[in-house]
Amino acid sequence: MSTSTRTPETKTPDKPDSGSKQKKQSASATASSGRSSKTGDATNDRAWIVKAAKQPMVLESVDLGPLGAEDVEVAVENCGLCHSDVSMLNNEWGMSQYPAILGHEVTGRVNAVGPNAKGLKVGQRVGVGWNSGSCMHCHQCMSGSHHLCPQVQPTIVGHRGGFATHIRSHWAWAIPLPEKLNFADAGPLLCGGITVFAPLTMYARPTDRVGIIGIGGLGHMAVKFAAAYGCDVTAFTSSESKFDEARGFGANHVVSSKDSAALKKLGGSFDLLISTVNAKLDWDAMIGTLAPNGRLHVVGAVVEPIPVAAFSLILQQRSVSGSPSGSPTAIETMLDFASRHNVSPQTEHFPMRNINEAFARLESGKARYRIVLDADF
């Protein structure tokens, strides 16, 4: 079951933008043909823009320009707020480009379709995640690993993201949403969800013992997916207040990541550990909990290097690895799995006009566990 809360609306909402007569006529015409060429409307296209690092976002009109031949435009309904958005806002990774429109966990309806786009129709509900394009001809793209393309286009780096009325994407990266999903809460699956689901499908079997390090925005979804996958799941958290919640997400066991004695008792236990944290840990102790042929897989963006003792890997034939989000096919598979097994993030909802307050809540560490912004333009 999805658990979501909505914050009280303390400000008078703007009137929803119903769009111009021309836009209505265009939507009507394309509903039957399934194809539309479109030019951005600087009057009706608006977005929350960050002008410089660590600055509050401001609402402004934007001109999206002509729609690319292979692109689709999506009218944003909801957009998840990911910790990566905070990192990009503050330029923590040194790759931010300003002015920026952030937001990369988008759900909404296709608003326009380029003449060479395939498989999508106006009015169809889709999601756009961390990436919104790739070259479609390199070895990685042709072998199904589009997310590893040398020219992959992150949605919020040199591209307009989803904290806006509309977002554009290559058709292959606009993923159709299964009808059984709760669309308003589905956004976080498109980034955080696929990030933790991918290593499970790559490295785990339903009979495996899997440990999830960190029960936060990523970790709570990892526990849900691993439990639905059939694994024996152990949740590691530094916060005892999350013990019961972790069990509620499906963990069979919960251990304090600060308890060195408990970690020692688990020596040689796990087939797979997925680390979702961005903080320093006792990495030697964590690697020591791996069984022979076990793997520590890192998806949390730890800025500091992770020290690894070579003999700890060599003698037990262990591995350390990492991965980004996932390909369009992997995302589609994850959404289908989530739909069939009723896996959904636990969310808090804010109207998008309260975007700066939502960022502050996420940065404070108070979010339980993902924040979703509801478009209210």
Side-chain angles (χ1 to χ4, degrees):
M1 291 292 290
S2 165
T3 303
S4 64
T5 58
R6 296 184 182 271
T7 59
E9 301 196 2
T10 56
K11 299 180 182 178
T12 303
D14 296 332
K15 276 191 174 183
D17 187 351
S18 60
S20 65
K21 182 177 180 181
Q22 181 180 1
K23 279 194 172 184
K24 290 181 180 178
Q25 291 172 340
S26 173
S28 175
T30 55
S32 57
S33 67
R35 287 290 180 269
S36 170
S37 295
K38 183 177 182 295
T39 300
D41 186 334
T43 301
N44 292 319
D45 294 322
R46 289 180 285 170
W48 286 94
I49 299 174
V50 54
K51 300 293 185 70
K54 302 181 181 181
Q55 296 299 307
M57 281 154 280
V58 294
L59 181 61
E60 293 186 358
S61 295
V62 292
D63 185 355
L64 300 180
L67 183 67
E70 295 189 6
D71 290 346
V72 297
E73 181 177 281
V74 179
V76 177
E77 295 177 331
N78 310 93
C79 188
L81 172 50
C82 176
H83 205 280
S84 298
D85 292 305
V86 175
S87 296
M88 296 301 294
L89 171 73
N90 296 329
N91 198 22
E92 293 172 3
W93 300 336
M95 57 188 284
S96 301
Q97 299 175 17
Y98 305 104
I101 301 173
L102 304 177
H104 60 276
E105 297 180 342
V106 182
T107 58
R109 292 187 183 274
V110 175
N111 186 61
V113 182
N116 296 338
K118 297 176 175 62
L120 297 174
K121 299 182 294 185
V122 169
Q124 187 173 0
R125 236 187 200 110
V126 297
V128 178
W130 176 254
N131 296 313
S132 56
S134 55
C135 77
M136 305 304 290
H137 63 78
C138 71
H139 177 78
Q140 285 77 18
C141 286
M142 294 298 288
S143 58
S145 296
H146 304 70
H147 61 303
L148 303 180
C149 171
Q151 299 178 47
V152 69
Q153 175 61 67
T155 298
I156 58 174
V157 184
H159 184 275
R160 296 181 177 95
F163 297 146
T165 53
H166 301 88
I167 186 174
R168 289 179 177 177
S169 165
H170 186 277
W171 61 265
W173 286 94
I175 316 298
L177 299 180
E179 286 298 324
K180 291 183 180 179
L181 277 183
N182 180 339
F183 301 126
D185 284 343
L189 294 172
L190 298 161
C191 178
I194 183 58
T195 297
V196 296
F197 182 79
L200 281 171
T201 58
M202 287 189 287
Y203 303 121
R205 297 169 298 178
T207 54
D208 283 349
R209 295 187 68 185
V210 173
I212 307 299
I213 306 172
I215 307 303
L218 285 173
H220 89 285
M221 284 190 283
V223 169
K224 288 187 173 191
F225 275 122
Y229 200 50
C231 301
D232 183 80
V233 184
T234 297
F236 291 91
T237 176
S238 60
S239 175
E240 291 190 9
S241 66
K242 295 182 178 180
F243 277 27
D244 288 340
E245 286 179 295
R247 293 187 182 95
F249 297 143
N252 303 99
H253 323 278
V254 185
V255 176
S256 171
S257 55
K258 295 179 178 179
D259 189 340
S260 56
L263 295 180
K264 191 173 182 179
K265 287 181 181 178
L266 291 169
S269 296
F270 297 104
D271 302 293
L272 176 65
L273 281 178
I274 300 177
S275 176
T276 70
V277 300
N278 60 359
K280 185 177 180 180
L281 295 174
D282 186 345
W283 295 106
D284 278 341
M286 286 297 179
I287 290 173
T289 68
L290 292 174
N293 292 308
R295 177 183 297 268
L296 168 64
H297 191 84
V298 180
V299 297
V302 185
V303 177
E304 296 181 3
I306 298 175
V308 178
F311 276 106
S312 181
L313 301 181
I314 293 170
L315 297 179
Q316 295 296 309
Q317 205 164 294
R318 295 162 171 157
S319 303
V320 178
S321 56
S323 62
S325 55
S327 69
T329 299
I331 297 171
E332 190 168 8
T333 300
M334 177 273 303
L335 291 173
D336 182 59
F337 183 93
S339 175
R340 284 188 283 119
H341 293 276
N342 198 26
V343 175
S344 182
Q346 180 169 308
T347 61
E348 301 175 352
H349 283 251
F350 285 72
M352 199 172 287
R353 66 176 179 277
N354 290 352
I355 189 169
N356 291 308
E357 292 91 330
F359 265 75
R361 180 168 176 80
L362 181 57
E363 286 191 89
S364 73
K366 296 178 181 177
R368 279 291 210 273
Y369 278 87
R370 302 291 292 204
I371 291 175
V372 175
L373 302 179
D374 304 324
D376 60 348
F377 297 95

